[in-house]
Amino acid sequence: MNYAYYPGCSAKGSSADYEKSTQAVCAVLGMNLVEIPGWNCCGSTPAHAVDTELSAALCSRNLDIAAQQGVEKLLTPCPSCLSNLRHTAKRMENPQFRARVDELLDNPAAPDFPGVTSVMQGMAAHCDANGIASFIRKDLGQLTLAPYYGCLMSRPADIMDFGDPENPTLMECLLAACGAKVLDFPLKTACCGASYGIPERTMTARLSARILRLATDMKADAIVAACPLCQMNLDLRQPQAAKEADAIFAMPVLYFTQIMGLAFGLSPDTLGLEKLRVSASALLDKLEPAPSISKTPVEGGQSCE
Amino acid sequence: MSAIRFATPDGLPAFLARLSENSRILAPAVKPAGKRSVIFEDWHEGMPVILEKATVPPKDAVLPQCETLFTYKKSKNPDNREDVALCLENRAEARPTVIFACRPCDARGFAVLDRPYLKGPFADPYYKAKRANLTVITITCASGCNTCFCHWVGGGPSSPEGSDILMTEIDGGFVLQSMTEAGEKLLESAGLDDGREVFAKAEAARKTAWASLASAPAIKTAPQCIAALFDNEQFWQEHTEACLSCGACTYFCPTCYCFNITDEGDAFDEKGGRRLRSWDNCMSSLFTREASGHNPRTQKALRMRNRIAHKFSTYPENWGAFSCNGCGRCISGCPVCLDIRAVVLNAIAAAASEA
Amino acid sequence: MPVMKDKELRIVGFLCNWCSYGGADTAGVARAEQPTDLRIIRVPCSGRVDPLFIVKALLSGADGVLVSGCHPRDCHYSSGNFYARRRLEVLKHFLPALGIDNARFEYTWVSASEGQRWQQVVTAFTRRIHTLGAAPGFEDAPLLMKTADMAPAPLRPLGTGKNAPLESLKQAIKEKLPDLACVIGWKQGYDDAHTTPLFAKKPEDVDELVWGPLNAANLAVYLPLFKGKKVGIVVKGCDSRSVVELLQENLVAREDVTIFALPCEGTLDMGRVNEKLGRYNVVGGIAHGATNITITTDGQEHDFSMAEYAQNKCRGCTEPEAVLSDVRMGDSPLVQGEAPVPQELALLDAMNLDERRSFWRTQMERCLRCYACRNACPMCVCRDYCISDSRDPHWMTQEAGVTQKLFFQTIHALHLAGRCTGCGECQRACPVGIPILGLRQHIARTVGELFDNYRAGIDPAAVPPLLGYEVEERNIREREWK
Amino acid sequence: MRIGVFVCHCGSNIAGTVDCAKVAEIAKNFPDVVYADDPMYTCAEPGQAAIEAAIHEHKLDGVVVASCSPRMHEATFRRTVERAGLNRYMFEMANIREHVSWIGKEQQANTNKSAELVEIAVAKLRNNRPLAAKTFDVTKKTLIVGGGVAGIQAALDCAEGGIPVILVERESTIGGKMAKLDKTFPTVDCSACILGPKMVDVAQHPGITLYACAEIEEVSGYVGNFSVKIRKRATYIDWEKCTGCGACSEKCPSKKTPDVFNEFTGTTTAINIPFPQAIPKKAVINAQYCRQFTKGKCGVCAKVCPAGAIDYAMQDSFVTEEVGCIIAATGYELMDWTIYQEYGGGRYPDVITSLQYERLLSASGPTGGHIVRPSDGREPQTIVFIQCVGSRDNSIGRPYCSGFCCMYTAKQAILTKDHLPQSRSYVFYMDIRTPGKMYDEFSRRAVEEYGVEYIRGRVSAVYPDGLGRYVVMGADTLLGEPVEIRADMVVLAVGIEAAKNAPALAEKLRISYDKYGFFMESHVKLKPVETNTAGVFLAGVCQGAKDIPASVAQGSAAAAKALALFARDKLENDPQTAQVDARRCVGCGKCIRCCPFGAITETEIRNEKKAQVIETVCQGCGLCTSTCPQGAVQLSHATDNQILAEVNALCR
């Protein structure tokens, strides 16, 4: 099945591993991601706080491209892109706002935009827990994972559509379907401080440390992220956080797509694991071949949604 | 000597236009509908000239469905609010009116109304003013119809009673013959061609019309017969069972003249209070309901008796003529096809068998 | 009373004493500034607000009417506002049929504590009325004459009832006659081309009974007059629905009425038949074909095919057979297809508000207030105590103006809400052919849309929609307003 | 008629934006108005005297007062005109304060509007008729719904006043929420010790009939003569025989039954007596957990019961009581705080409600009065109390203050220190609201004597730290910085809401309730005990948040209302009832079908069916009047003609 796909700029740089693993896992699931042509930045720079209309114009252009393609749904892996695209679609419902944005565009934006959804939501909509289980080739039963959505994915609730903004559960659902032990991770939607990584390094370190410490204390084998910025922050800045917290962390921070890929038996290279700063080798050691290819159905077998 | 004029069909609009310079013209107008009707309306140039028998008689011209007799206003003396002044304003309206193309039965209706309103002990000023300003141009009938029976009750397809001008259709046009002074005056200034040459054709047409009518039963004894049946409740009940007690028969009757008086509005209001006179309907229970709530005619049979007796017994007793001119609208307009002719004939027969 | 020129419009509010009047007080206590146009009439409960008050105000010159009561479930009288909601919602749908913009009427719920909400309601409603401007009147609307089209093809083959088992029916009636005060049917009227009601008391009377397309009159109208007596009645399908409605309203007892039914093959539109017959002295005879009748007048033959001359209602009829009967004969006709939008209603639907006001002004001008429409209506059970000609209550004057006449039609239509079976007798009875049936059809459609496709006169045990309520109405979304 | 119009200045309240003299002058031109004046304060004694004088001097037979809302002073002025010899219904009011002067500043528009409102009132008054009340007998008996402290107080006061009482309690014992409390503020005396004797009094008072495990099924009738059908739920134990010995629960094998009385802090047996001081002290079987019901076999309790009181076949039964008034005292419940996901949404065992904490504190509770963590039974060292959980929070649609949480939180913090002297307590608060007698002193003691740390600010999240404790993250808004506390236990001061079945009961009683389910009093300030249904009174938290002293006071107040009602042998009805014009009535029964009160019946007049209004039952809503097509039923004082007169005055 084809899905229109908006990778976002991180996918081409800092989160190339996210992109790689997303493509790989989606391929396994039978989701063919078709990148929309000529997309641009979603405006998720500090610009969107400075000039809403300019930022919306950037998003509108992307949404317009998707609309011209005639797609119904657009997938994106990045919560920040998702947030910007959805906010724009919402704001463009206001005719005055739309008129101002249209002035910034070469051509007025399409009257109706396609719906935008995250890759995570897209996967859950594409196949239910049993469907995911049927692809499992490696047993993740020894892994204890701390799902971490980051602060953006579920907020604001009415825009992002992730259920309770304090307690989203979709990622848990996917990870559990892959056979891993999933922690009820209390800080799953807490801020990691990434956006202040440059001006307020201490604060960022403190916030990250809080998450890393809890995951460590809860004996997690890895934190599972869904946001390029969070992943980079928690992984790359782990020494800074450790210094701030006066602790030693060795917590691999993987994308949920990487975990899924591992469960599906994909190779670490395919999933871009080599890009991790905190190595996932300990984690890989805990993987075992799946006991049998045809797994017993996941309880209920219902959709994750 | 009456004036006799001739008008072609094409000449009628000009004739009416000329009349309308000084008068309001009431002429038949067609109201298309699932059930088409013909209503007298203020004529103005451009309106088609319709010569059909109207669904509603032109009674409204002298006895409006509802007229404001007068308005009354009260005002308080600013120095003493308990001192209230009452001011009456008479609203008797009478503008010159010409009824065009009513039927002889309709015109005879005015004669029926004239008696109580003008010839009784008190002349009604409102009626009188309107009547004095009214000129009636009647088109004679070329035939009878299934519901009308003018020749039973003293009329006929070219009966002149109540008309100022009789108009008869002949080949190529209409002969207009004045029957009254007013009619004569009107025709003389109407700008129409002389019609004496073709008058004979008109007379012939009228005769043909008379001849086409089915023979009329003798109903001369109706007043006595109906009076004799007054207490025969069964007779009246049998003839009223189907009656719905609506006002279609009376409101569409050219001779029914009963009215109701009501006051509306407030004397202290800017518009003042209005004293209204409106048609009343003796077939309704309300007609005789007294303020106490008592009603001498609760049964519709008694009300039917009243209507028939009034038209064929008591009015004739008082005025020497039926107050029915056989237009048949009470039959054609009745939702359940009650037939006043049958009631009268049956009454005569029943009285005979009783006697 | 004149409004302040160029500044205020006339807005009338009906507020329940317990919630909304209190809410308006609360707004006052909070000094919540509001436009000055509104004049409040205090009523005990929104359930006290007869929709006719609203029509009366709008026809008398009000530019807007606002009704406000307690929130659903909060009624001081527990359920008054539930009834009000249904009735006012029906009115809201109905007003446009008259040509009145229903944005001029609103009903809402404001509690005694919601001063702020009251301020918002008044401000928004007043703004809305000012946007609409002064209400246009009826008396000076430009004239507009329009007529309804003929209905499309009938849902069943129409015929003349020639082969109906009339003789067997007469036999059956004669058998029952000894136990009955009379049996109501049809007989020949003043000529062969017209029928009139028959009240058969003796067996020989029964022989006068006729059956066929001339039997247009709905005889159910006579039943309440025989209250307490045992009577029989011969019905067409449509008539039987009126009987059912009378049973539902306790105006006739089931054990008192014996219903004789034949399947109806359609009735003629006598208005058009008479128009075609024109003036004639005598009927020379009438011949029934299978699908047409031929009437000979003064030696001339006139052919009337049922396909062309049946009443509109017969074409859209889905109940040619009685819905309730004691003696039923004849074969059941096959009805195919859905009932179309009735023609008089389609005519209204096709007009905009201005046109409708013009239309009604043009139509109502010729009304003589003879009340044949009312008295021919089997559901007009008030009879001699209709509020249209009473002084206490004093709803109407005797004045002959268009608004008075139209107000009566509104009274009739609103009183028929959920009760009208669409028999069309009102319109058939009108001697001047005013297409008033459209108003009844409009309200019947509204009732159907709002209340689960309810149709009057189907089930004697049904609760008529306006005499009931649901705490949560499925199809009324009055709370979406602000 | 001779009508007098009085246009009140209300000091400057009206006269500030309305030219009252001009309104009076305009009014003089209205029909039948023979006198008009514009007094300064119409409702004051001189103002009322002036009305009386004018009635005499100008021979007035009708009076219009244009002033404040009739909801404020209609009754006042009705009495005024009555004193001067007029019938009280020959009076109308025009509301030119709340509806005119207070909501608009333009004098010209206001003056015009006031004059029009007076005109409407005059138009209505000209159609008014004198109305006279009817008298009827009273059943001198009170029914009280709810056996919490408010209901208990009302019951005892009524019974002491000589009025028989029927007390209906949903649970198997009376005592309500107060019975679950350990100590009460501000005196820290034992709740059971002060409530217990009152409960015993209820049981022993000959004038009180107690139905526990019972609910109101149906209510009909009207003030003075209610008929109430009560459903007695099946307890599966014949209470006539049960001696409350407790042998059954000792032997009951189904020991994992949730303990409702202990707020689910522990478990109990399927057959049990909720607590030792229960009144009535009778056992009840929880059929959801009883093996006899779930598995179809057991019968242990039937075997051990020395009185032979067990009856597994018992069904719900009904009893109908005739009473003259009803007091609703149905209390409250805690809102469902688990919607707060940031506090774990109920997933963390050591995050508990304050009421659960009361049970932990209570010597008769599941822990025998030892404060221990539900998760591991250890004594907590650090306890965080979070206030306003579900109170004053618009984000979840609960803007109201629950009233007593500040005080009990202080109490619980103090008791914590008493129980665990080494412990540390923190209280996160928004504002401290302690406006009762000795209340603020009490909360200060918590801070000053017991060292409870009060932090002004909200808690943003509570989460387990993975090491067995909880991280409480919040803000100290006084210091302006984030706070993080490692706690062993978190106690939430959960906001209150009306009892679950309150709306259903309100509909049966025909009283109003707000959107949170609290019953509506007749007037927020002046009639806090009455409801809009005559003869139904309110006591306790069912009307709105209040603490024990206020609940007790309102219980007594409701009893006083009942006693005052019964001080008369006969009652008068409100004559604003519907009247049937039998001549117009066709007996179709549409009014009978609609009447919300069953106040219209069918009668026969000369063999014809007609409607008939039972005037004592009719409440005057007028639904029948707008239902009757022929206008045969007219609501007195709001007849069609009266309302039409008002419409006509406005629209012509």
Side-chain angles (χ1 to χ4, degrees), chain D residues 148-154 157 178 327 329 331-332 404 439 538-559:
Chain D
V149 68
I152 289 171
Q153 186 65 37
D157 286 355
M178 187 175 169
I327 296 172
Y332 69 95
F404 44 72
Y439 282 15
L538 303 177
V541 186
C542 67
Q543 175 259 345
K546 54 180 71 68
D547 58 14
I548 293 167
S551 293
V552 171
Q554 203 180 10
S556 285

Side-chain angles (χ1 to χ4, degrees), chain A residues 164 166-167 184-188 206 210 213-214 217-219, chain D residues 339 341-342 347-348 460 463-467 473 482 484 486:
Chain A
D164 192 307
E166 300 292 339
N167 188 23
D184 179 2
F185 190 59
L187 294 179
K188 58 178 141 181
R206 202 172 64 235
R210 194 164 59 122
R213 162 160 284 162
L214 183 63
D217 286 349
M218 289 178 82
K219 310 218 169 6
Chain D
I339 59 168
Q341 288 293 340
E342 55 265 48
R347 286 173 291 148
Y348 311 143
S460 61
Y463 64 89
D465 68 354
L467 304 169
M473 286 169 49
E484 222 174 88
R486 299 260 152 173

